[in-house]
């Protein structure tokens, strides 16, 4: 077997996302990592700790002939400009979520990639989570019969520090920055989402700031899904939550993060979908790297990414109007 084409990946932004990506690609054939930051010392520190090369600036990494692709892991407000610069320099791009501030920007990047013969990918690890795969399989097999309701509990207490507390850098609130992952989970269970509404809880009828959201999904099959997402709800179990799929012939109970899954219906089982890669990041990069090597789309492509962002936009628009906006 011939050696795979190299993927020399530069991380633009040295934060936790870069750390997680570097660990996820470790062991994949043909991949090497480099790091770039607005603070050269920070990039050098990452290179020493994680292995690889350090660049003194984003521009140095983008201009380097030794870089094939970049991971844009900066605050969301900077994603579009950096990705466009990378494409114009002949690099493929992987965008951390949320990918861009608007679907129109994601469309523009897709067109730019097509013109230069490169790829734009969006790092949505929830699509690759073992939990998501298990839910799709069980629903597809009809284990609970016709699905009526899907309730996803993603409530937690989270401090929005750093750039997340700056609307100019974050580009949006809790649902946009973190809840978009859960939107992806609900949007990729099998049935197509046809309609979505959003609601912001508040006191005496006054909506709170965007730190808590209820999103309601209507599927093509007639099933209804709900996502309760919050950064301001105390949890005795540090974020461990129970969610459920209800069908006419049974139900699927699961810990929201994917620690366990239990079915009752046509079959009864208790499963632990995949604790070694519970976040789905290893599976995601195991799909992305060959796609970069072969210059093709991964399983989670721009069509999926655009749909997720479009749904988030629709939830916000609906919440602003009191509900009722079509996706």
């Amino acid at each position: 077997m011939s050696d795979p084409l190299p993927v020399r990946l530069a991380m633009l932004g040295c934060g936790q996302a870069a750390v997680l990506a570097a660990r996820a690609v470790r062991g994949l054939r043909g991949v090497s990592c480099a790091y770039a930051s607005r603070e050269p010392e920070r990039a050098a520190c990452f290179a020493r700790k994680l292995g690889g090369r350090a660049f003194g600036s984003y521009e140095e990494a983008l201009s380097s002939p030794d870089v094939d692709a970049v991971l844009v892991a900066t605050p969301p407000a900077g994603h579009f400009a950096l990705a466009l610069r990378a494409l114009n320099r002949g690099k493929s791009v992987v965008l951390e979520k949320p990918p861009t501030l608007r679907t129109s920007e994601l469309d523009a990047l897709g067109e730019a990639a097509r013109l230069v013969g490169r790829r734009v990918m969006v790092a949505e690890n929830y699509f690759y989570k073992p939990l998501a795969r298990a839910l799709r399989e069980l629903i597809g097999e009809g284990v609970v019969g016709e699905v009526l309701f899907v309730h996803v509990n993603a409530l937690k207490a989270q401090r929005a520090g750093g750039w997340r507390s700056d609307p100019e850098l974050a580009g949006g609130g809790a649902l946009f920055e973190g809840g978009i992952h859960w939107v992806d989970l609900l949007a990729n269970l099998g049935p197509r989402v046809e309609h979505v509404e959003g609601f912001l809880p508040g006191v005496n009828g006054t909506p709170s700031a965007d730190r808590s959201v209820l999103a309601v999904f209507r599927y093509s099959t007639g099933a209804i899904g709900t996502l309760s997402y919050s950064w301001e709800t105390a949890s005795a179990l540090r974020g461990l939550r129970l969610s459920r799929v209800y069908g006419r012939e049974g139900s699927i109970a699961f810990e929201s993060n994917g620690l366990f899954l239990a079915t009752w219906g046509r079959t009864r089982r208790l499963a632990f979908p995949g604790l070694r890669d519970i976040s789905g990041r290893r599976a995601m990069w195991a799909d992305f790297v060959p796609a970069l090597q072969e210059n093709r789309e991964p399983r989670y492509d721009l069509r999926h990414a655009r749909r997720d962002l479009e749904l988030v936009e629709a939830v916000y628009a609906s919440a602003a109007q009191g509900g009722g906006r079509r996706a």
Side-chain angles (χ1 to χ4, degrees), residues 184-196:
D184 175 78
L185 180 70
L186 278 152
N188 289 292
L189 292 176
R192 184 180 70 259
V193 175
E194 290 192 334
H195 184 81
V196 66

Side-chain angles (χ1 to χ4, degrees), residues 99-261:
T100 55
L101 302 187
R102 290 168 287 277
T103 53
S104 58
E105 292 179 341
L106 195 59
D107 291 340
L109 292 179
E111 178 61 16
R114 186 188 67 81
L115 290 174
V116 300
R118 292 294 180 265
R119 297 290 167 180
V120 174
M121 302 177 185
V122 177
E124 181 46 83
N125 55 291
Y126 275 43
F127 180 84
Y128 295 89
K129 284 172 72 80
L131 171 67
R133 183 176 64 249
L135 289 173
R136 286 192 287 266
E137 290 175 354
L138 290 169
I139 290 172
E141 292 168 3
V143 168
V144 298
E146 180 187 354
V147 174
L148 300 176
F149 299 105
V150 180
H151 296 313
V152 173
N153 176 356
L155 303 174
K156 62 180 176 179
Q158 175 176 317
R159 179 177 297 177
W163 59 263
R164 289 179 177 82
S165 62
D166 184 341
E168 293 296 320
L169 293 176
L175 185 72
F176 178 75
E177 197 283 315
I180 193 169
H181 295 291
W182 298 97
V183 168
D184 175 78
L185 180 70
L186 278 152
N188 289 292
L189 292 176
R192 184 180 70 259
V193 175
E194 290 192 334
H195 184 81
V196 66
E197 296 181 31
F199 302 89
L200 299 179
V203 179
N204 297 324
T206 301
S208 64
D210 175 18
R211 292 175 58 81
S212 297
V213 181
L214 174 69
V216 182
F217 302 76
R218 180 177 289 278
Y219 293 94
S220 57
T221 58
I224 301 295
T226 58
L227 167 64
S228 301
Y229 186 77
S230 179
W231 284 354
E232 55 184 355
T233 52
S235 172
L237 297 176
R238 297 190 178 185
L240 295 181
R241 297 143 296 188
L242 192 64
S243 296
R244 202 154 193 146
V245 176
Y246 293 91
R248 292 190 184 276
E249 300 179 43
S251 65
I252 307 168
F254 58 96
E255 195 283 314
S256 299
N257 293 304
L259 289 177
F260 65 83
L261 179 152

Side-chain angles (χ1 to χ4, degrees), residues 84-98:
L84 193 59
R85 284 163 58 190
L87 290 169
N88 289 337
R89 286 164 174 76
K91 320 296 185 187
S92 287
V93 174
V94 179
L95 290 162
E96 275 293 336
K97 288 289 283 286

